[in-house]
Structure formats: C-alpha cells, structure tokens
Amino acid sequence: MKHTKRIVKNGLMGLIAVLFAAGTVACSSTSESAPASSNAPAGDSQAASNSGGDTPKPGGVLKLARAQDVSNLDPIVPGDNMSIWTLLLMYDQLVRVSPDGNGLEPALATEWKVSDDGKTYTFTLRKGVKFHDGSPMTAADVKFSLDRARGKESSWSWIYTGIDSVEATGDDVVTIKTKTPYAPLLSSLALFSSSIVSEKAVKDKGKDFLSSNEMGTGPFRLAEWQRGQKVALAKNPDYWQQGKPYLDGVELVQVPEDTTRMLQLRAGEIDIASNVPFNSLEELKTDPNLNVMAVQQSRIDVLTINNTREPFQDVKVRQAINYAIDKDAIIKNVLLGNGEAATSYLPKMKFFNDQLKGYKYDLDKAKQLMAESSKPNGFKTSLLISSGNETERQIGVIVKEQLAAIGIDLDIQLMEPGAADEAINAMKYDLASTYFTTDIIDPDELTSFEVVSTGGTNSYHTGYKNPKVDELSDKAREELDESKRKEMYFEIQRLVSEDAPFVFLYYKPATYAVQSYVKGFQVMSTGNYRLEDVWLTK
C-alpha cells in the first residue's frame, strides 16, 4: 500500500505542475465574552497593518475588488460574506467585535449592565446618532430592529431564541430579557442581523425596501448598486465617530475571475484585490507599489456533503472520502504551505477542540471503509465549485484524482459564484466547495449555522442531524460557566468529527494585495474590514 500512496503522490505533483502552467485564480474568534458591563470607548482599528505612520487625511474613493456580488441588503436575510461585510459598512449594532477579534466593545450602546440572575440586560444608547436620512436613532428603533431580527421574516431568528422580550425602557435605554441565562447574547447582538434600522423607513416604504436599499447609521450609506458589477457607497457625514470615515466613498467592484483581478490591480485600476491566489503572492511581493497581506482569520474551508442523497447517508462513505483526500498535499501544492489541515467544523477560535486528530490521509483506511459501506464497488458523483476561483479549480482536480483511488468517479461542475450559492442553499448538489467564517466571538453562531439541524440552515444545507449535537448546543447556550461550556463544545466537535458531514479541508489565511497609497486597511479575524479607518495618500 505504500507503493500505491507513492504513485498517487507523484501523480499529484505532476498534476499540480500542469495546473500551475494552465492558469492563475461563501459564516468567528479566540477570547472569552465581554464583561457584564462596559464603559470603554468605542475601539479604533486605525492602527492597521499598513498604516505606515501617516496622518489620516480625508477624501478619495477606494476601489476594492471582490469575486462576488452581494445578494441582499436587508440585515435579516443574507448568509453570504460579501453581503454581510457590506452590511457592516452601512449599519451599526449595539456592540461590536473588538479590532483584535478577541472581545466585544461598545457601538450604539455606550454601556450595559447584566442582572445578578443573568437574564436582564440594560443598554444605555449613544446620544446624537442619526440615520442616513438625518432622522435620530431612538430606543424604539432598537426595539423594532431586534424584534424584526428575531421575527418570522428573519433568516437569522434561530440565533435569538433565548430572548424573551426587548423593550424601550427610557429615551436612551433598551432592556432585553432572556428566558434563561443566555451565554452568547452579547456576541449575538454584534451580529450583522442585529443591525439597527429605521423603523419609520421600513414601515413607510414596506418590508421589501431594505432588500435593495438601506437605512442605517453606519460610516457609509448606499449610493448605488449595479447588480453584477459594483456596490457604490458614500461617506456618512453624520457618523457618530467624529472625523470618520476619511474616504469620500467606496466602490466594491465585482471581478469573479482571479486573473482579471490581478491584472486590474497591476494596472492600477483597483486599490485593493481580495482572494489573491497563493501562486501569485510571491510575485506580487516583489512589486514595491503593493503591500501583500496573508491575514489569519477564523475560517475553515470544507467540501460540504449533501447528507440526504444516496450514498452520502452512509457515514462510512463520508468517512472514507475524508480519509482519501490528502489535505497536507493540497496545502503544500495549492496553498503553497499557507494553511493547516482542519480537524473540526470550527475554525481556531473560542472553544476550538485542539484534541481532535481529524482525518489524516489514509488510503488503506478509506478503502476499508468503502468495502464496508453501502457502495463497496464505488459510485459516480459530482463536485460543485465556483467558476473563476483558481484555488477551488486546482483542489477539484486533485480531489477527483484522489477519490478515484477508492472507486468514486467525480464530475467537476463549474458554476458562477452566486449561482453556486443558490444551488447549495437549495440542496441541489452532491459535494460542493465552500467555507465558513465566524461573525462573532462565540462558537454558538457557527455551531448553529453548520451542524445543528434546527439552526435555521438545516446544518448548512447538508441535512445532517445528530440529536445529541442539537441537545448539547441548546444546553451550551444556557450555561454561563465557561469551563462547562467548553466541555460541551469539545463534545459537539467530537461527535461531528465522527459523523463527518463535511470533508474538513484546511484553515487558511485571507489574502489581499493593497496599493501602497492605501493606509489603515485591516482585515479582522472575522473576515470583514472597517473601511471608515482607511485613507488614501495619492
């Protein structure tokens, strides 16, 4: 069997060489929850990785190229990162993740207090905050927004199940009561779906208004959305952080093809390129006009498996696939060493189970499991990947070759990124390439999103269901003892690992290339960026 393994490895190296010659190319952190009360000032992420010590100056429009368009601008609807990260530029929440990704800090709430029984949270609101139409934000708007976020129209209502009531208990005071002690509440209030919207705007313009418009209090307001092309944002002159944003505006340009994004960057047509292919990093680093960033973030890349389709209902088939894919070889040859094999459905964040061994490459074990499975003679299936993504394309070809060794004939299906997301959401796929980043510092969001059958996404559209996982997730929400919560999440991760509802691939950094005249740009561990802290020196 060592001989078989060597042949596969050698074939892989040749395959990678061909791939590199042939071309170039969608929910978070590591600390404990915020304290029960806080009076600290809102954080400033201006001390960014490429601030360069320059004094911020106002003006200019930043062009940031991304692979995918936004899907919906209503905070209670989308689940894709392009929409989420755009919403966070236009909206504020009561609290937000701190710049280092390790805690929470005030945003629209300047302070909060928690009752002794852990079931009543009292928030004092920031004074003088205005919506983008100039109207004042009130406690009534906060109540309306949070009730809407946990209501039946919300795609994210499942994350607020512990809330019993939200009330405006003063001109600048909001009180939230929970049904039981509810550990992730503060983190959940930092989620994009907890964004504060104008009650009057929604009621006057109708419930569908926010799908393609916005009425928030954030640093930027929507100027234009050219679907499939760009989202243009304009500076909010009434933003509550005095002097910010520095930029006059932002253009989030959709450029699906990796090669095109890199060409536009080198030509100076864009200021920041996201999703830089790993095989382009070293070359870009030689350009004195560019700053290349590989930022560690709370992200895991996976191949999601439709557990409702035959033969993926068979856990031995899912385990065999995990053992048959050599993640370390993918990391070495495709990511050029910029990654680490994944062992859990959680990225390396709070309560990450570092004791899991995961599925190391073991072809003998994979063959044994297939022989014991419902498909001992193999089968034909398909892998859905996003067109234009060179990394996914290379991985797809490698996975196809490696699964062939255990009798699985894999057909690679290329689909435009937005359409690929729609197919996954509708569960019209066998295997699909995707990734998850956390939006908050608590594991409750990703756990509910990825592996809890009642979490609102049907275990991220896999149909995976383990009653014990569901039960432990509910208990972990109500447990305020951090050590006990940690034990619960360790057990959840162990159970999910055994069930293998995904192919756990790797943890990798976010890659960006930034023109040297762009200052203050920082990617947070949650994947998003605060562009109110960015300025241009050109």
Side-chain angles (χ1 to χ4, degrees), residues 291-467:
N291 292 313
V292 179
M293 304 167 63
V295 184
Q296 294 303 320
Q297 59 178 336
S298 297
R299 165 175 172 156
I300 176 175
D301 284 68
V302 302
L303 300 183
T304 188
I305 303 173
N306 190 337
N307 288 218
T308 67
R309 287 189 175 180
E310 290 289 353
F312 304 119
Q313 295 169 336
D314 187 341
V315 66
K316 290 188 176 182
V317 170
R318 302 195 303 267
Q319 291 173 337
I321 292 173
N322 268 279
Y323 279 120
I325 296 175
D326 190 340
K327 292 92 171 177
D328 288 332
I330 290 173
I331 291 166
K332 178 180 179 180
N333 295 293
V334 179
L335 305 188
L336 303 183
N338 293 281
E340 182 180 350
T343 55
S344 169
Y345 72 87
L346 283 181
K348 291 194 169 183
M349 58 179 294
K350 181 178 180 178
F351 299 152
F352 170 77
N353 188 341
D354 56 2
Q355 298 174 11
L356 290 176
K357 295 182 180 180
Y359 290 87
K360 294 187 179 296
Y361 177 66
D362 189 334
L363 188 57
D364 290 344
K365 182 68 172 177
K367 288 181 175 180
Q368 176 188 338
L369 286 164
M370 282 296 292
E372 297 170 355
S373 76
S374 58
K375 292 288 184 179
N377 298 319
F379 58 94
K380 186 170 184 176
T381 189
S382 62
L383 170 64
L384 174 62
I385 66 174
S386 297
S387 59
N389 188 314
E390 182 63 17
T391 298
E392 285 192 9
R393 184 182 72 84
Q394 293 175 15
I395 291 172
V397 176
I398 293 167
V399 168
K400 177 181 175 68
E401 181 194 37
Q402 293 184 337
L403 292 188
I406 59 171
I408 298 177
D409 182 5
L410 187 70
D411 178 46
I412 298 174
Q413 296 181 331
L414 294 172
M415 193 175 290
E416 185 274 328
D421 281 348
E422 291 178 5
I424 294 173
N425 294 347
M427 295 184 67
K428 295 181 178 178
Y429 73 97
D430 292 338
L431 304 173
S433 178
T434 190
Y435 71 97
F436 305 110
T437 57
T438 186
D439 303 293
I440 59 178
I441 65 172
D442 196 277
D444 176 68
E445 181 202 11
L446 273 186
T447 297
S448 300
F449 189 76
E450 288 184 69
V451 300
V452 174
S453 65
T454 57
T457 63
N458 196 13
S459 297
Y460 193 67
H461 317 296
T462 63
Y464 167 66
K465 183 174 183 178
N466 183 325

Side-chain angles (χ1 to χ4, degrees), residues 48-54 519-520 535:
S49 58
N50 62 333
S51 60
D54 295 319
K519 305 299 179 181
W535 70 96

Side-chain angles (χ1 to χ4, degrees), residues 50 265 271-272 289-293 512-516 518 521:
N50 62 333
L265 177 76
D271 303 314
I272 301 175
N289 296 315
L290 296 175
N291 292 313
V292 179
M293 304 167 63
Y512 286 80
V514 185
Q515 302 285 2
S516 60
V518 177
F521 179 71

Side-chain angles (χ1 to χ4, degrees), residues 3 35 52 239 245 248 250 257 292 318 366 402 436 444 446 452 463 502 505 532:
H3 180 66
Y239 188 45
D248 290 333
V250 173
E257 294 288 338
V292 179
R318 302 195 303 267
Q402 293 184 337
F436 305 110
D444 176 68
L446 273 186
V452 174
F502 311 105
L505 288 179
E532 65 267 31

